[in-house]
Amino acid sequence: MRETVHVPLGARAYDVLIGPGLMAEAGALIQPLLPRLRVAIVTETRVAALHLDALRSGLSAEGIDSVVLELPPGEATKGWAHLEQVTEWLLDQKIERRDVVVALGGGVIGDLVGFACAILRRGVRFVQVPTSLLAQVDSSVGGKTGINTSQGKNLAGAFHQPSLVLADTDALSTLAPRDFLAGYGEVMKYGLLGDSAFFEWLEEHVPAMAAGDMGLRVAAVRRSVEMKAEIVTRDETEQGERALLNLGHTFCHALESATGYSDRLLHGEGVAIGCGLAYELSARLGLCSQESPSRVRAHLKAMGMKTDLKDIPGDLPGAEALLNLMGQDKKVVAGTLNFVLARGIGDAFVTSDVPRDVVLGVLQDALRGN
Ligand SMILES: NC(=O)c1ccc[n+]([C@@H]2O[C@H](COP(=O)([O-])OP(=O)(O)OC[C@H]3O[C@@H](n4cnc5c(N)ncnc54)[C@H](O)[C@@H]3O)[C@@H](O)[C@H]2O)c1
């Protein structure tokens, strides 16, 4: 039950391995990359308590020594202070230009450690061992690394591809159900943006997948990674098509900002709600039938996921304020908001041609619960 997706980026090409038991084999899989039998692992305490021993014993089975830095879990770790801490720690550990750093954790650790590796000695190789569903299907693949700043999310960063990704699907079984479902928001996104047959497959199989069926988990992660790899290979630095991966994200980033990047709304939850809103906007612009947003929302509801703005606990700012927060998004080009819209399920495209008042109307109705 092991799948490999190759990301063919020339000198920066790498494999994404997907399946159970990969951490136990990490030594044999990472060893070919190493100039000496030593790696530095950066992780966070919650993941370390659950999975660090498995990874370290997998490494030591091949005689690979490891030094470990454990950071606090949570989005707040993805900032300047921990970037400095990781970089200085790696220097203190005498990690050299040819050495390999291992990032063990969810998207927070992958983004932070990837960025530290991008700037350390002007570029050190790293291996992603993503442990959350979101990190396995999205953040560990494609080379976007970075941190949040006080101005917003992911505003400082670099493109730095990993040398290998080990997506051990056993790790998914220790995720809190809420974190699993948040990651599922990104899985669903792939079906919506470019593969209607995958979306249909998900509608049929996701309840069993969420309940723990390993074969279905491997299949869902593989198809997601395959789609991301195809898009990234055609547009590594987001000059065009890669922006499709931001389906739901313009709305999501405004909502995350409005909720203070707090526990009120997880990133993947915001993506799921944002996908629903992007389809609603598409329907109002006459691009797709009303059936599409209804189908997205029905699927989210069936999964017990946050679907509407009223599912976010606490107060939200008004529609104008949310629209202004969308204007802070990185995807703003020359002051114009870029949206990913859709002509139907599995048929998304990028546009900047969206009248402000229609977006405002979607937000007003969403806030009223219509
Ligand atoms: N680089 C990219 O292309 C990209 C793409 C999408 C998202 N992201 C970023 O990813 C981050 C979100 O990622 P995330 O949802 O993985 O966040 P995360 O790293 O905070 O993990 C979510 C939660 O799950 C816990 N966790 C992780 N693995 C676990 C496991 N196996 N068992 C039990 N608990 C586990 C973590 O401790 C945390 O509490 C955001 O910062 C987002 O901006 C980056």
Side-chain angles (χ1 to χ4, degrees), residues 23 44-48 50-51 72-76 78 104-112 128-148 153-154 158 168 170-176 179-180 182-183 186 189-190 228 242 245-246 249 253 256 263 266-268 271:
M23 282 195 229
E44 42 104 322
T45 49
R46 194 173 294 144
V47 169
L50 296 162
H51 300 292
E75 189 71 33
K78 219 179 95 172
L104 171 70
V108 163
I109 286 294
D111 281 13
L112 172 75
Q128 292 263 24
V129 184
T131 56
S132 69
L133 180 58
L134 182 140
Q136 296 196 352
V137 299
D138 195 355
S139 60
S140 66
V141 181
K144 274 194 187 177
T145 71
I147 56 167
N148 307 322
K153 259 188 75 104
N154 298 326
D168 186 333
D170 277 336
L172 303 178
S173 54
T174 58
L175 275 176
D179 287 317
F180 185 89
E186 301 276 6
K189 179 191 80 177
Y190 291 107
K228 178 145 190 191
R242 185 167 179 165
L245 295 168
N246 299 324
H249 283 61
H253 286 161
E256 281 186 292
D263 210 31
L266 303 178
H267 176 74
V271 170

Side-chain angles (χ1 to χ4, degrees), residues 57-179:
S57 55
L59 291 167
S60 56
E62 295 294 317
I64 301 171
D65 266 349
S66 51
V67 285
V68 180
L69 174 64
E70 291 187 28
L71 301 172
E75 189 71 33
T77 296
K78 219 179 95 172
W80 293 112
H82 289 103
L83 178 70
E84 180 179 359
Q85 184 187 353
V86 172
T87 310
E88 299 232 336
W89 178 77
L90 290 170
L91 289 168
D92 286 343
Q93 297 304 319
K94 309 218 165 8
I95 292 302
E96 296 170 6
R97 191 81 198 277
R98 301 296 306 152
D99 284 331
V100 167
V101 176
V102 179
L104 171 70
V108 163
I109 286 294
D111 281 13
L112 172 75
V113 176
F115 189 25
C117 290
I119 58 176
L120 183 73
R121 302 186 193 280
R122 297 199 180 84
V124 164
R125 293 173 304 156
F126 77 119
V127 172
Q128 292 263 24
V129 184
T131 56
S132 69
L133 180 58
L134 182 140
Q136 296 196 352
V137 299
D138 195 355
S139 60
S140 66
V141 181
K144 274 194 187 177
T145 71
I147 56 167
N148 307 322
T149 75
S150 52
Q151 290 79 4
K153 259 188 75 104
N154 298 326
L155 291 179
F159 286 100
H160 186 51
Q161 300 290 345
S163 298
L164 177 70
V165 181
L166 301 179
D168 186 333
T169 46
D170 277 336
L172 303 178
S173 54
T174 58
L175 275 176
R178 187 179 174 197
D179 287 317

